[in-house]
Amino acid sequence: LASEIISSNPKIASLFETWRKSGKLNSKLEENEELKSIILAETPWLNDAQNEDEKKKNLALLFDLEKMKNSQETTFDKLKQKQKVSGGFAWFDGSNESEYITRHILAGLGHLSKLSKDENNTAKIKQIATTGITFLDQKFLENDQRNNPKASQKLIWLNPYSDLHYLYTRSFYLENYPLSDTLKKHTKRYLETTKKDWLTYSLYEKGLAALTLNRFGEAATAKKIIESAKTITPSIAAEAKLKEMGTKGRINESAAPRRVPVVVLFSTS
């Protein structure tokens, strides 16, 4: 995120480099209203700092380009070292591959690829994704063939979230790693079911479904889901206000803890 902000706003990089060299990291942020508005719009969490000095220390850390580069390189190297020969990742060293953690790592790298088109990042992601996507594809087909041995019968979807999250993760890589004909046939059934059943999903799952369907070419249904979610989110905010006032809300509480991820999901095309 910091790299993206700097790339699109060179003034930020120039100012922080000046502060770093002069040792004046305590210069008032408020002296540059344009810079302040840009940074706080992209990183509103910085407002949580207790005072101005803490804000500037957070900013200096966030925008230390050398540290960011080294940290990113180290993280990529660690990920690659922990990746199994199969392409999957385990929760802990020495344990078996986990589809769950592998999906989340690949989805995170998918987010990164959308935020940054840096050639070095792209190459590092490719090293991990090439075998990681193959692992996830194989597991998806194995699970589907086990749960739905007869393709002519109605789809038996035992774990909607897991399979939906696979499709969501897979949607980041459709261009670089196209679906095989077999995968197209199997994923189509799940996408069609999602188009019919999305109203029964949690708010978080609706976010996954909207992004997934949009990337798979089902923009009309994705738009319906987003419009529906927009009517739900104000209700969740109202419930939170009622709770602060000591009044019991009427909205389903299970949706509330997941409202933040949905906002993040809808912000990523």
Side-chain angles (χ1 to χ4, degrees):
L1 178 59
S3 298
E4 182 67 16
I5 296 172
I6 290 171
S7 297
S8 58
N9 299 279
K11 289 181 181 179
I12 296 177
S14 176
L15 179 60
F16 274 100
E17 183 65 14
T18 300
W19 284 1
R20 188 179 67 80
K21 289 181 178 179
S22 65
K24 295 181 179 179
L25 289 174
N26 289 326
S27 301
K28 289 185 179 180
L29 180 63
E30 279 71 12
E31 288 180 0
N32 191 324
E33 290 298 327
E34 181 184 4
L35 176 67
K36 177 183 175 183
S37 63
I38 291 172
I39 295 176
L40 296 184
E42 295 290 345
T43 57
W45 50 269
L46 287 172
N47 278 322
D48 293 338
Q50 296 300 310
N51 53 56
E52 187 183 328
D53 286 343
E54 187 177 345
K55 280 184 184 179
K56 283 186 284 294
K57 288 178 182 178
N58 286 343
L59 288 169
L61 179 62
L62 180 65
F63 289 99
D64 188 325
L65 296 178
E66 187 173 351
K67 284 185 179 179
M68 280 193 296
K69 181 180 178 181
N70 292 337
S71 175
Q72 195 161 270
E73 289 290 329
T74 300
T75 301
F76 273 125
D77 290 341
K78 283 183 178 179
L79 273 178
K80 187 58 184 172
Q81 290 171 14
K82 290 182 177 295
Q83 189 174 27
K84 303 277 189 177
V85 176
S86 64
F89 289 86
W91 277 103
F92 306 102
D93 291 338
S95 58
N96 294 327
E97 301 96 328
S98 164
E99 293 175 60
Y100 178 87
I101 194 64
T102 303
R103 287 199 313 268
H104 279 273
I105 289 173
L106 267 294
L109 292 177
H111 277 292
L112 180 60
S113 67
K114 282 187 170 291
L115 281 172
S116 172
K117 299 301 181 183
D118 179 81
E119 291 184 3
N120 185 54
N121 283 351
T122 300
K124 295 283 188 180
I125 292 172
K126 184 178 180 180
Q127 290 178 10
I128 296 172
T130 298
T131 54
I133 290 298
T134 299
F135 171 81
L136 290 179
D137 287 347
Q138 290 174 343
K139 290 298 181 182
F140 172 75
L141 288 175
E142 289 173 8
N143 293 336
D144 184 49
Q145 289 167 355
R146 181 173 57 252
N147 298 329
N148 296 279
K150 296 182 179 180
S152 60
Q153 294 181 348
K154 182 180 179 180
L155 176 67
I156 300 175
W157 201 340
L158 297 179
N159 193 344
Y161 170 76
S162 179
D163 293 320
L164 184 59
H165 193 257
Y166 159 75
L167 293 172
Y168 165 71
T169 301
R170 195 61 176 81
S171 69
F172 283 105
Y173 301 93
L174 293 176
E175 182 177 350
N176 292 330
Y177 303 94
L179 298 179
S180 65
D181 290 341
T182 300
L183 266 174
K184 286 179 181 178
K185 181 175 68 174
H186 286 263
T187 56
K188 183 178 180 180
R189 300 182 71 197
Y190 287 83
L191 294 171
E192 290 299 321
T193 301
T194 300
K195 288 167 61 178
K196 292 186 295 183
D197 295 347
W198 65 267
L199 281 169
T200 66
Y201 295 172
S202 69
L203 189 57
Y204 179 76
E205 290 166 345
K206 286 176 181 176
L208 291 180
L211 283 173
T212 300
L213 288 171
N214 186 59
R215 293 173 187 161
F216 273 91
E218 299 288 350
T221 304
K223 185 177 180 180
K224 288 180 182 178
I225 297 174
I226 292 175
E227 292 301 320
S228 172
K230 286 180 179 178
T231 65
I232 296 173
T233 304
S235 298
I236 293 174
E239 180 200 20
K241 187 64 177 178
L242 287 172
K243 286 184 177 180
E244 287 179 9
M245 297 168 62
T247 306
K248 184 177 180 181
R250 295 182 179 180
I251 309 301
N252 183 355
E253 295 185 1
S254 65
R258 293 185 172 183
R259 65 183 179 275
V260 174
V262 170
V263 172
V264 174
L265 286 171
F266 285 167
S267 68
T268 309
S269 61

